[in-house]
Amino acid sequence: MRPLRTLIVEDSVDDTELLLHALRRGGYEPEYARVDTPESMGAELRAREWDIVFSDFTMPRFNAFDALSLLRDSGLDLPFIIVSGTIGEDRAVIAMKAGAHDYILKDNLKRLAPAVDRELRDAQVRRERREADETIRRLAYTDPVTNLPNRTRFGEYTQEAIWQTRTDEEVMALLVMDLDRFQEVNDTLGHTRGDQLLRQVGLRLRSVLYVTDVVARLGGDEFGILLPRLARGSDLMTVVGKLQDFLQAPFMIEGIPIAVEASIGVALMPDHAADAGTLMQHAEIAMYRAKRTTSSCVVYAPELNLHSPERLGLMAELRAAIEHDQLLLHFQPKGQIATRNVIGAEALVRWNHPRYGLLAPERFIVAAEHTGLINPLGEWVLSRALRECQRARACGIHLRVSVNLSARSLHDPHLPEVIAKKLADASASPEQLTLEITESAIVLDPQRAEATLTTLSRMGIWISIDDFGTGYTSLASIKHLPVNEIKIDKSFVTDMLTNKRDAMIVRSVIELGHNLGLRVVAEGVENEQTLDALALLGCDEAQGYFISYPHDFDALMSWLESTSWKPVRDS
Ligand code: C2E
Ligand code: MG
Ligand code: MG
């Protein structure tokens, strides 16, 4: 006999006995309570844990709909089965739509135990999915070395703090702190000890600050500190002084004393920026200045911006590169797994630099975002991608082209107009275009992102969430966005055959994505076994070196002629 914690919403004692009897015959040992009013049900739900709820349809003071909403309001996801003598088919359907899992007629109680078996199993599956979603979220939010919030989460905290209205007497300060010569520690003492040092620094920073202040690890040896409510005046320097004092005492790593110095850059809100992204960028510029001079803390000033390292060197050349056609696009096909059709390709930008050769986007996209060059770059990519897409069409091949959109472009209010113009220039239709955006782009300013995405989506353009799983979003939070597709980040896909955690994440993203009616694409598919595993999980599309490396347009066209993956041709 399996124990079953059973809550029975029922006014008749006799009917309760019949129900208990049916459960026992089905192999269950119910520990039960019977309730027949909203008050008593609420009290029982709060008092202990339950496995399942049975409810009569109508009772003198209560009914199944009210019981259902009570259950929902209490935040519990328990199987809810209506057991009734009176319910008609139509009302049963309404009840199921309202969230009941099953209904059983009182004169057909032999169906009860099998229904319980099934609903308990389903509830278990739902629980596991929720946990997987939680895990994805947690992993995406915390830095594994220090257990502090990571850069993404830090950005979110900053955004949240900005929304909290402030009085004129208060400012918000964002500090970026970079440890000096940390690389030496890593090189001489090894990574494990380097990590220990980072953890200890994190702990010390945390211990100096108020609980309402935020400490995050932004990556490498960079920490971010957010002081959301700072009185104007001398407060800031007091805090900075305290931070520096606390770092003075050497850190003990396996008995070895290590002295740490740090460069701190500060930017203030509203003085130096009006949004989270700019605030962060300005704090970083100030930090770079601190690193290059003898002062250990620099507060941002607009003059610094002119000398920021991103502005120098490569960026000056990038502008010319866009104008002189030194950029090029590679295309990587996206294949539909079930049919082996190639239905689209992702456009990936490269820079053919006269001295450094072919530069990958990692080398210049971030800096381009910081300097505003990302807009002309993005427009160039869009025009070229649509043009090539039309060239394919002229050869009778239908390809939907995916273009990566940077966070900064997404927040440009003119984006929809610009895209409409590019579509018109290329005589392309919106259905030929998919825009890939990352989760972090949405986090920066969710309201603006939603508005822009809605406009784009209404135009008929597909929206895809790129690198899913690496950012902050849980699927639940993109539910209300007009999204058509999610791309599971390659870091999960590449190792899914050997790493159980990755496999679990891939599986649950596919399931949850499908539950939301989204297409799910796996990127980074590097071998046949992975493709087979994805096919079994019902993943819709795949992209990766196993299918094809990214190639220039002509090479893509010859590949399409020779491969077993079939393009969609004019009929
Ligand atoms: P992404 O959008 O996630 O693009 C997929 C990246 O994964 C590409 O790197 C691609 O070459 C690589 N990749 C493809 N198949 C595999 C595989 O099987 N295994 C592995 N390990 N990697 C694979 P790429 O071209 O270096 O692009 C890197 C990132 O740069 C892109 O990531 C995207 O975020 C950004 N990017 C590329 N082009 C543009 C652009 O035109 N505009 C903007 N804003 N960003 C771009
Ligand atoms: Mg992409
Ligand atoms: Mg990606």
Side-chain angles (χ1 to χ4, degrees), residues 270-292:
D271 306 31
H272 302 140
D275 66 274
T278 315
L279 190 66
M280 179 75 194
Q281 202 182 318
H282 287 173
E284 277 188 330
I285 289 172
M287 186 275 289
Y288 280 123
R289 167 50 71 93
K291 258 200 172 334
R292 280 179 296 132

Side-chain angles (χ1 to χ4, degrees), residues 105 115 197 255 290 304 444:
L105 293 176
L197 179 61
L304 294 178
L444 273 180

Side-chain angles (χ1 to χ4, degrees), residues 90-290:
D90 48 343
R91 284 203 292 172
V93 170
I94 298 174
M96 303 281 282
K97 280 201 178 134
H101 294 98
D102 204 351
Y103 72 96
I104 288 175
L105 293 176
K106 282 180 178 171
D107 54 14
N108 195 12
L109 283 177
K110 63 176 187 304
R111 270 195 58 218
L112 189 71
V116 172
D117 295 345
R118 188 192 57 238
E119 291 310 326
L120 290 177
R121 263 196 320 271
D122 286 0
Q124 174 69 17
V125 170
R126 288 199 298 277
R127 210 161 25 243
E128 283 169 9
R129 281 193 196 146
R130 262 197 312 276
E131 280 164 17
D133 206 23
E134 251 323 289
T135 315
I136 296 176
R137 230 181 112 80
R138 205 182 48 247
L139 291 172
Y141 262 148
T142 24
D143 163 50
V145 174
T146 58
N147 254 325
L148 292 173
N150 61 12
R151 185 181 279 272
T152 316
R153 186 68 184 109
F154 187 65
E156 237 183 273
Y157 275 127
T158 311
Q159 190 61 60
E160 283 161 14
I162 290 175
W163 283 328
Q164 253 127 57
T165 41
R166 244 165 297 119
T167 62
D168 281 349
E169 287 76 54
E170 282 176 340
V171 287
M172 175 165 111
L174 192 154
L175 282 63
V176 171
M177 194 184 101
D178 193 283
L179 306 185
D180 297 335
R181 294 187 309 276
F182 176 75
Q183 200 49 45
E184 284 170 32
V185 176
N186 245 349
D187 293 347
T188 44
L189 300 176
H191 281 281
T192 324
R193 295 198 182 104
D195 285 354
Q196 282 176 24
L197 179 61
L198 291 173
R199 265 194 293 278
Q200 289 199 23
V201 170
L203 285 173
R204 261 196 217 178
L205 292 177
R206 206 41 288 180
S207 71
V208 188
L209 298 164
Y210 294 143
V211 272
T212 46
D213 300 336
V214 181
V215 179
R217 175 160 175 240
L218 304 180
D221 53 0
E222 212 175 271
F223 291 84
I225 296 166
L226 189 70
L227 311 172
R229 329 198 59 155
L230 203 66
R232 276 196 183 279
S234 61
D235 257 29
L236 173 66
M237 281 310 149
T238 320
V239 181
V240 170
K242 247 183 1 174
L243 287 170
Q244 286 167 331
D245 286 349
F246 261 71
L247 293 178
Q248 285 271 307
F251 289 85
M252 296 303 284
I253 306 289
E254 294 178 8
I256 309 167
I258 294 173
V260 163
E261 277 170 38
S263 305
I264 299 176
V266 186
L268 299 174
M269 171 106 185
D271 306 31
H272 302 140
D275 66 274
T278 315
L279 190 66
M280 179 75 194
Q281 202 182 318
H282 287 173
E284 277 188 330
I285 289 172
M287 186 275 289
Y288 280 123
R289 167 50 71 93

Side-chain angles (χ1 to χ4, degrees), residues 332 346 349-350 361 381 404 466-467 490 523-524 526 544-545 550:
Q332 188 176 37
E346 178 172 5
V349 70
R350 277 97 183 83
V381 170
N404 294 284
D466 203 356
D467 304 346
K490 52 181 174 296
E523 54 175 36
E526 295 187 348
Y545 298 158

